[in-house]
Amino acid sequence: MVKYQDEALDRTFAALSDPTRRALLARLGEQESLSVSELAQPFAMSLPAIMKHLDVLTDAGLVAREKTGRTVACRLTARPMEQAMNWLNRYAQFWSDNLDRLAAFVEEDPWQPTSPQPQPTPASPRDQASPSRGASAPGRKRSTPRGPSRKT
């Protein structure tokens, strides 16, 4: 078994797994730099919650923060995203090659469906029984429904 250990890549994918964090990155991708309050404005969550998301993005290296006075500005950093894309592209190439080989195989030897064999129609319900049921003796006669019970 292959043991792949790349903590930076794991942190990148973990950070990208949350839709709020992806939306934060999309906003940062639209503008060069945004303050935390500007970044948090369209989200229906508290500023501390946004800060926690930004902490995860910063730990993954996807966001760089710079404090000027009382304002914290955030900007997008591309390096971890490039590493993730390189990793994904390797697997995209692998699957593309495999699917190309499968397509070539299918086109080389097209499948010819055989005509369906007609099924014999059973003559009686007894013939429809399973093979194990067909070989056994007829079932016992069922009793009539129970009548009213006597109260004593």
Side-chain angles (χ1 to χ4, degrees), residues 44-126:
M45 63 178 64
S46 66
L47 197 57
I50 292 291
M51 292 297 292
K52 287 183 180 182
H53 283 294
L54 287 172
D55 287 341
V56 172
L57 292 169
T58 303
D59 289 344
L62 293 165
V63 170
R65 291 192 255 188
E66 186 178 306
K67 188 171 183 177
T68 308
R70 291 177 25 172
T71 305
V72 177
C74 299
R75 64 181 169 76
L76 191 61
T77 55
R79 179 119 176 98
M81 209 61 122
E82 289 171 3
Q83 292 171 337
M85 283 304 300
N86 290 339
W87 186 86
L88 288 170
N89 286 335
R90 275 199 327 255
Y91 287 96
Q93 184 62 44
F94 167 79
W95 283 110
S96 178
D97 291 346
N98 281 339
L99 292 174
D100 288 346
R101 282 196 300 268
L102 178 62
F105 174 76
V106 169
E107 290 169 1
E108 174 183 304
D109 188 20
W111 179 67
Q112 297 296 324
T114 58
S115 60
Q117 298 291 330
Q119 297 291 328
T121 54
S124 69
R126 175 84 177 162

